Each structure stands twice: as C-alpha cells, then as structure tokens.
Amino acid sequence: MAMNTPLRQHSQADNAPSEGMRIGVYVCHCGGNISDIVDVERAVEAARVMPGVALAKHFMFMCSEPGQNLIAEDIAKEKLDRVVIAACAPSLHETTFRRVLTRAGLNPYLYEAVNIREQVSWVSRSDHEGATEKAIRLIAAGVAKAKRSQALQPHRIDANQRVAVVGGGIGGLRCAQDLSRNGHQVTLIEKTPFLGGHAAQLGRVFPTEQAACELLKPLLDEVTQDPNITIYTCAEVAKVAGYIGDFRLTINVEPRGVTETLGEAETQAAIEACPEIVRDEFNYGLTQRKAIYLRHSDCYPGTPAIDWSACTRCGKCVEAVGGKGIQLDAQPGSIEISCGMIALATGFLPYEPRRGEYGFGEHPGVITLPQLERMLDEQGPTGGKLGMDGKPIKNVAFIHCVGSRQVEGIHEPGPDGRVNDYCSRQCCTAALRAANEIRKRFPGVNVYDFYQDIRTYGRGHEHYYLEASKLGVLFFRWIAEEPPIVEKANGNNQSSLQVRVKDTLTWGEELAAPADLVVLVTGMVPGDIDNLVDAMKLARSPDRFLQEVHPKLRPVELAVSGVVMAGSAQGPMDISESSAGASTAATKAVMTLAKGYIELDPFVAEVNTNLCTGHGLCVEECKPMNAITMVERWVNGDKLMQAEVNAALCNGCGMCAAVCPTGAIQVAGWRIDQFNAMVDAITQDYEQKEAGNE
C-alpha cells in the first residue's frame, strides 16, 4: 500500500478564484435555534447576489437526512463546485457535511462552515436586526473564502499497529486486554514493581459487594498470560518522539533486583534478613515493610522487588539465600519501543491531608478512608478487626469532602497555589459502604456521618444511603464555611476525640459526637505525571487531570493526535467507570489503526520553495510542536537552507505564517489571501446591492 510522506512542501499556484465558479449557500433554521433570531429568508436573499453564488436555500435542519440529501442533489443537478453551510458550530457537524460532499463526488474540503448559531443567534437574542445583519456578513465572508479554497487531500501515513499503555492499574489492564482481543500488540508500562493499582488495596467494591481481589485476578491472569502483551514493571516513560502512527518511546527501567529463580522459602528468608524498615505504602502507612518486599500475597509479579531508595546494599538478603537470585549490583537501563498510539492510564492518588487538617497526623485516632478500607479487609493489616493501638473502637465518625470541594480563602491551597474545588464523586458511596459494613460487622459501634451533601450518583449507590439510615448511622450536615472541628474529648467522655459541628439539619445547633476513630473521606487527585505532561505537551483541565478534546464528541482523546486516556487519569472515577473509559480508549485506538494507515486533515503549513530564503523564524516559532526543520536545497544553482514541514506534527496553528518575512509559509485551507478576502467581504452590504443601490 503506497503511503504519502508526511513531509509537506508546496509551490504556490495562482490562488485567485476561477471564473464561472458555482457556489451553493445553505442556511439552517436549526429548529428555531437560529431562525427565531435570524431572518433566514432575508439572509438567503442577500446570499443570492454574492459573487460566485449559483443558488441559496434555507432548510429546517441541514444536518438531517433530508437536509443532507438536498445538498447532495443540488451538487449533482446544479453542478456546484463549492458549498457554504451557515448553521451550528463546525465542531458538531463539519464531518457530517464533508461526507455529504464526498458522497456527491465533490472534494470534501471545498465545504466552508459558517457558524451563525453559537456566534450569532445564541449571543444576540435581544437584537434580531443586528443578528440578521451579522449573519449575512459572516455568510459573505464564508463565500469569499470558499471562492479561494482548493481541493485538498488528507495526508496519509503508515500506522504501527502496536499500542503503548502507560499504567498498570485496572484501567490500563482493561485497555490492554481489549486492545489485544482486537489483534493489537500491546506494551504495558507500569512505574511500580507490581500491577493492579489502587483496586488491589480494596476489600470489597460497590455496588456488587464483590471482593476486589476476585474482580482483579481474572483480569490480571488474562493480561499477564497474553502473548500479545509485553509488560514492563519498574518502568517509566522518559521521552516521547514521533507522531500518530509512528511514536517512539524511550523507557527507563529500574532493576527489580530479584530474579524469578527465587523460591517461596528463599523469598521469605531474604525479607526476614533485611534490616531496613520503611512505611508500607500498600497499607497507607498502617504497617511497615522491608526494603525487599512483596506488595501482598497474590501480587503480580510474584517475585519480590527491592526498594532502592531504602536499600543500603548491605548484602544480608544475599547471604540469607546463599547468593542466589538477588542482584544488588544491577543497574538501571533503558529501552526504546515504537507504537502507533499511546493510551495513558496513569490513574490517581488519594488526597493526603496536611498535618493538622482535622487533626490528621496529630491525633492517632484520625485516619483516612483508604486506611480504613485496609483495616476492614480480612486480608489487610488488622485481619479485618476494628481497633486502634489495641483499644476497642466504640464510636466512629466520618467526615466527607476532605481534599474535595474546597473553597478559596477557607482551605489552604496546594503546592501549585490552587484548591481542589471539584467533587471526587465516588467518595460518598465508598464512605457509606464502609459505614454500613461497620454497623453490620460490629453492631456495638456507633457511626456518625458528617457531610456537606450526599452524592450517591451511580446506579444502585443510593441504596447505601438508605441502608445506612436503617442501620442507625447518624447524619450531621455542615457547610463549607463552617467545617467540623476534631478535638480531644473532655474528661467525661469515654472516647479520646470528639467532633463538633454546627448541624444545619437542626437549624445550626452546635453538636458534638464522641469518636475513637475519625475517618477522613479523602478525594482523588491526579497522579504524578508532570514529566509526561511536559514531554508530550498534554492539556490539563482546571482540576489538573488530563483534558479531553470534547466531552461528548471526543471523550477520551487528547489534543495531541494519537494519544488517548483511559480511566481516572481523566478525572475521579470508580472501578466501573474507569473500566468503561479504558474500553472506550481501546476502541478509539482500534478504530484509528484499523486501516493500517492514518489520514490526517490537510490544514497544515506549506512552504513555497520559490519564496523561502531560510530565515528560520518559523522553526523558532514552531518549537512547541517541532514540526518545522531547516534542510539544504539547491535553488537556481545555489545551496540554500529552507524550511520543511512534517505534516504529521503540524497542528495548523499558523504561527509560522505570522512570522515569515517573505510570506513563503502558509496554512493550507487558511491562506492569507483567504483571510483578506473574508475581511473585504464583511465590509460589503449585499442587501443594498440586491435593492439596486450598487
């Protein structure tokens, strides 16, 4: 299959409009969204006298099947060679109308979109006359641009069929599984020594109440045994080069330090011999672990790993196993892989309360919800028992929205100077599920729930709230301006702590509840992916998670072509949502790579080699995308340095055209002469011409 090179050069031809051009103009009513404000009949009459316009019509819904058929029939019958459609934003139906032109045998890039809904009727409801005049002038600009448009062709590039999935949590695993099932080779890259992510730290999950390990194990088994999936743990993406269809990733790999030849007894002996003890992040600091460790009994890989930040290389673990299977002198390395697309499943981190926030870090009885989840897990550090420092727990208090729904001026901002003003969504249901479990397993324990709002948004989630009420959980509602206060209890209280709050359910009465255990219901924050964001120039939302191009039309795509996101890298999600998002990302990758090649829009920079004198200003301006380089060429017997555009990297921003002193570089489909023609057209009054006042 022949493929076009992504390098884009162009010797500009005469861009003037050809004689005898026949342009069709169509104005959409949009069911009243436009026609209730804009006089569409008047706009059509004005369009009919614009130079080059062969016909002008209006229709109730241009995007409907009858509307599309009307355009296709007119192209054939009236021999139209350009089409201008005044309707809604091109982000909604540009692809739709391009397909109409293709179906009618016309180049799809000879269609010009004019937005008179969002840019006119929706912002001019109080001025119908002004809206109509504005619509006519925008249509005139669209016609002027269309007269100078050219039949462009999409750029076609080969597509590597391998997909790199970054992140080995449940989102990354699901994405890799779906990609492999559709025949793609997958490279799965996980930063930590073990797969499974945060799902492995849960006991039971809502709303099915299934054990998390039972949910995770079949997925892990399938992925780890799949010959199409290559897995790298202790690995991190260090560099990304290339473009959609041909990415090249440099991956830094830390040595595991332990080979698979180490048996179970030897593994245990090595761990026991290690003298270095550190905080166990798997149990959120409730326990400690050795510098050589296994995450948990069923982790994958089942081979222990060495925490090099804690290991002193004393060699006692090596002595314990007779020198077999442990490599303390192993050195970091790097590998390079090529792939057609990248799926980011980089996940989230639980919010870590600041010291003193609701008493966290100051009172041993103040813990986070993830820590409580580990305590309630029968395979967890306490064997499922509810206790603190050997003392029985009689009263448990949950405080919602810790690290979520923060308010500027009330909550302390994070290191970047911003507060987490978003809702983490899944925490309410998770807290209620834990509260219900405590009431069922430990009926003698009182449970108090301090909340701003209960947001059990998912299917079946409201059941947890109703069940909590039936089980005797007591609810107290507070407002952001007056959050609960955690303090030491007075001497008359059997519990060591108490939570004071102005309860809006009792009209602002100040109440206090005893607490042996205060559980901070922490939200989700983005994973630590600053290096990836910088390396790939990724967009972030105001919440600092990865930002999709469009929440409905392109829900898992990033602005960087060929990069999709899976799961909670995009925002707070529960397991079911993360899995659905991961499958959506996999589906998008499969669809993109299905043909073996990728077609890119032709709206990229082109170089007129007759005008380029090699100033290099375009190269400097294009540094964010690195789409332009300087190459040597022979021009009229002289060797010159000239600009060369990689169409696969160019996003058509036009910054290069703005700085070129000779006008040698322009963006196809958006040339300077087209802009000039649009400006000239906007200044014309076509209604006066129609009346004969030329």
Side-chain angles (χ1 to χ4, degrees), residues 112 171 211 231 308 311 319 364 374 406 495 499 517 526 616 620 641:
E112 187 62 37
I231 299 172
W308 297 108
C311 178
E319 295 173 7
R374 294 302 304 138
Q406 294 177 328
S495 297
V499 181
L517 196 64
E620 289 298 314
M641 296 297 293

Side-chain angles (χ1 to χ4, degrees), residues 351 353 357-360 365-370 372 396-404 411 427-428 431-432 435 447-454 474 476 478-479 482-487 497-501 513 515 517-523:
Y351 174 78
E357 188 174 4
Y358 296 106
F360 184 78
V366 180
I367 64 172
T368 64
L369 181 58
L372 178 66
V396 177
F398 289 83
I399 299 178
H400 288 240
C401 297
V402 179
S404 294
H411 296 93
C427 345
C428 282
L432 291 170
V447 177
Y448 307 100
D449 190 288
F450 297 83
Y451 71 98
Q452 289 191 75
D453 298 287
I454 298 293
L474 296 181
F476 304 85
W478 51 280
I479 59 176
E482 296 182 288
I485 297 174
V486 178
E487 59 190 8
L497 299 172
Q498 69 175 13
V499 181
R500 283 193 297 113
V501 68
L517 196 64
V518 176
V519 180
L520 306 183
V521 182
T522 51

